[in-house]
Amino acid sequence: MLTDLIHRFRSLIRRGAVERELDDELQFHFERLVDRHVANGLPRDEARQRARAEMGGFEVIKEEHRDARGIRFLDDLGRDLSYAVRQIRRSPGFAVLAIMCLGLGIGANTSIFGALNAVLFRPLPVDDPSRLMVLARGTNANFSYPEFQDLQARSRLFSGLTASFPMESDLEVDGVSEFVAAEVVSPNYGAVLGIAPALGHWFTSETEPTAVISHAVWQSRFGGSADVLGRRIGSEAQSYTIVGVAPRGFNGIFAPYRTDIWVPTGTRPRLAVMLDSRSRRVVMVFGRLQPSAASGQASAELNSIDAQLTAEHGASTETLPPIRAEPTRGIPNPGGRRLVSLSASLLMIVVSLVMVIACVNVGNLLLVRGSVRQRELAVRRALGATRSRLMRQLLAESLVLAIGGGVTGILLAVWTNEVLERVMPSMRSTFPIQLELSLDWRVIAFATILSLTTTLVCGLLPAWRGSQVSGIARFKWEIGGVIRRRRPIGLVAQVILSFVLLLIAGSVIDTLHRLQATDPGFAVSGRLYAYIFFPSAPTPERGRELYAETLDRLRRLPGVLSASQTNALPLMPSGSECASLPGGQQLRVSASAIGPGYFQTMDIGLIAGRDFTAIDLPPESSTIIVTESLAKRVWANTPAIGERIMIGCQTPRASIVVGVVRDSAVRDVGESPQPRLYRPFARQYSGGLTAVLLETGTDPAAMVPAVRETLLGMGQNIRVYAVQPLSTYIDQSFTGVRLMATFLSGFGLLALVLAAVGLYGVMAYRVSLRTQEIGVRMALGAGRGAIFREVVWHGLAVAVVGIIIGEVLAIPTTRALAAVQAGIRASDPSTHAAVAAIWVGVAFVACYLPASRASRVDPMEALRHE
Amino acid sequence: MTPITQTGLPQGTVDLLILKTLALEPRHGWAISERLTQISSATLTIRQGSLYPALHRLERRGWIKASWGTSENNRRAKYYELTKRGRARLEVEIAAWHRISDAVAQVLESA
């Protein structure tokens, strides 16, 4: 075997020497044969002839040898490729156009695949990622902390298990606070995951207030200075010492959000309630397999431990799927993965359509080239090339183009990734988003496979057609003979695809505008908000007093018309309560606490009853205000005022409704009305962040510095988070849709450009072929205007057909789209009309140049070109 | 006796014959074909169209190795000789050949 390979290799790289040796050997044999014949009495000449006849042609033997050597395929391929490159160099315009089209298509596909890769396939940047498992029950990757501790203690097949509780938190550096994503982790986190910190080390104890910060924070808040270790930072009213910095490229397990701070579980006393409860599933569990263990065994072991735990502590109320240990891939959290992969898959489909358009372009270009080279191919055919040989040759040209396109595409993707990386930090919805988009082997493999597939797709038909020359006939250079009246199916397909893509982009843009124009149920303009927190307030009462004082000071600022507070802004997750319905079921209702004057400040209309007053504040009082939808739900026809309802999931208490207000957005702008109940802030507040809301007469943005100053002037270690106009906050909630709209518009335009280029190319070619025919017609009296109109009409006809079919196809497409992405409805007719008008305009522009060239044909010149 | 041309001989048999011819001493291609014709009383002839491919095949398998030398008539020629593996292979092939030919003979002799 080995010797075989050595010989094959040698035949390849020292081909000249090997061929010469064979020559010499055969030559020797030949001479001995001649000698024998001479010895038998033949004259030398005859002897030579005889010998030659007996041996057959040397070349034939050598060919057989080459076949036997088994490198013939590679041989031919090499020759084909170098010939192809020479041919392509002779028409640089064609080459550039084809490579650009392919490059754009492949580049777009590679970029999106890169995102898909980061979400679905790429393992975490840890040591030996194939041994790192994430535990999940079905699609739910959450466990309770006591459960984790038991698994950790009893498992033998894992060399280590670690738990992480991702949460929204804050980070305070030198007095400036911001919202960050944090992970509260068991102390062995770094060791189990296998992450070497860029600086310092991971945790040594569970209770010491030490923290590890992200690489990004180290750069942005500490300037990347080496003395960051030992500095103190604050988070959630705790002071931490920095002991380590995470390496670049590790963004935690909360993807796509970037974790900015890791702290040990023992340092968050306020979480103790959650972490001690066996029924609250709040942590993600990761484990590193022992070298000898397999994931199947490990899963089995975990399930048996789980069974033990059920026996010891009683079964949980819900039936849970069994535990599975799987290698971490892409986004570790199944919920997050599902969320992002949906959008990424949509983009992948869009971008594949763009690729199809590009392929049709290149295919057309190749077809054109094929028909132009009929003569050359006919000659080669006459000289003995087989049809398959010609096809291989033509496919080799497609391959060279595809390789060029592939390299261009990869470069484009790299550039796009760099741009995205720079743009991503500003794309925060609540926390910074970071996805590792750098090219890894999977992405390169994808680009390569795509390029090769493109070769086949683009090049097969043209190669088939091109090799179809039938020798003699093609030597005649007829006018009409070369043009085959091909139906412009490819062109129409391109128009359809790009039209549909533009329509989709238009729908999403429509949706975005509609969302932005939707009334969220409360006033947005002229409002300002700030999230604040007094960490050192010893009791909730003191906290309440501080907030009341803050509001007083803010009210006294010039320009502030009213001020109020709440524990949860709309669109932020707020607590929820269970309301018992008459039928006995429980309804989950979102609940928030509001200060006096909230409804005025937010301009939420009171429909019935009254707002909270001083009599609602004592703790014995159990009055609530409900939204319209909740009132309708529970007391369909009777007025809700004065009615009692049981509120509470564990221990229901009777509550009396004193007011009904209009519905406003609870989770997303534009959703259907969600039931909500309100309670007085003074009664409910038990510590935590608060949002203060200000109604300002003037531009709220201008008030921001004054508000911030007033807040900081309160002292008491106040933590001030975002101080922003409410409109900015609402805008940020649309980030996802806005991103989609941007991407889709970009790809839609790309598709448009590609299709327009295709249209232009085919029109130009048609005109150039028909030059003589046009010359004749003009000599016979046809006007320039008529010729011009005819060419343009031709092109527009293609566009119109495509648009009509596109419209028909768009209906099921938008319906499918609406099912995938919430909020998208079939766009209104004006969008359709606009896109159609754009396409007709573009088609006109694409036809203009060829048409004007056609109309300017000089009949004498044209007829002379026989 | 009309010589059986190489189209009548299966590839394995050609290999076997070549290996055996080289068992005693290294030879070049011409000498191999001559010797074979000689010993088989002109029954077996291998045309060079299949001789040389066979030689190169055997060389690739590592059973024979080649080196350039000077022939009897002072010309440059490529000599082949058996390798150790080739010798072992030869034994195996001879044993197999005997088994097959015995079996064929048995079938032919039965009525």
Side-chain angles (χ1 to χ4, degrees), chain A residues 357 361 490-503 748-760 795-804 806 831-847:
Chain A
I357 296 180
N361 265 356
L491 265 187
V492 174
Q494 282 183 314
V495 176
I496 296 174
L497 284 177
S498 61
F499 180 75
V500 171
L501 285 182
L502 278 177
L503 213 56
L749 280 174
L750 186 60
L752 181 65
V753 166
L754 284 174
V757 164
L759 186 59
Y760 166 79
L796 284 183
V798 170
V800 167
V801 170
I803 289 176
I804 294 177
T831 314
H832 284 246
V835 175
I838 292 177
W839 231 116
V840 170
V842 166
F844 181 76
V845 168
C847 296

Side-chain angles (χ1 to χ4, degrees), chain A residues 522-523 527-528 551 555 560-566 593-606 610-614 616-617 625 661 678-682 691-696:
Chain A
F522 49 85
R527 263 77 178 168
L528 190 59
L551 281 176
R555 280 192 195 101
V560 173
L561 300 178
S562 71
S564 182
Q565 63 189 23
T566 173
I594 55 169
Y598 176 81
F599 295 123
Q600 276 95 304
T601 310
M602 295 295 270
D603 200 14
I604 300 179
L606 189 66
R610 59 170 179 82
D611 196 353
F612 293 126
T613 57
D616 301 298
L617 301 186
I625 296 181
V661 294
Y678 298 95
R679 289 187 280 217
F681 188 85
V692 294
L693 290 153
L694 307 175
E695 181 188 352
T696 62

Side-chain angles (χ1 to χ4, degrees), chain A residues 156-169:
Chain A
R156 297 275 156 266
L157 293 181
F158 284 98
S159 61
L161 282 169
T162 184
S164 167
F165 177 33
M167 61 181 290
E168 296 147 3
S169 183

Side-chain angles (χ1 to χ4, degrees), chain A residues 1 3-4 7-8 21-22 24-26 28-29 31-33 35-36 54-56 61 64-65 68-69, chain B residues 28-30 34 47-49 51-53 56 59-62 68 71-73 75-78 80 85:
Chain A
M1 258 306 100
T3 39
D4 186 19
H7 275 100
R8 281 190 203 249
E21 275 190 20
L22 186 54
D24 290 346
E25 201 174 2
L26 291 174
F28 176 80
H29 191 111
E31 313 240 322
R32 292 300 290 266
L33 196 51
D35 288 347
R36 146 94 64 72
E54 279 173 35
M55 272 190 76
I61 301 183
E64 280 179 34
H65 256 271
R69 283 211 301 269
Chain B
H28 51 68
W30 172 258
E34 285 293 283
R47 298 279 289 277
Q48 77 291 333
L51 170 65
Y52 287 99
H56 293 139
E59 189 189 358
R60 275 209 310 279
R61 304 292 267 302
W68 284 89
S71 71
E72 322 70 40
N73 55 349
R75 295 215 197 96
R76 219 169 84 93
K78 198 171 185 185
Y80 296 92
R85 277 168 56 198

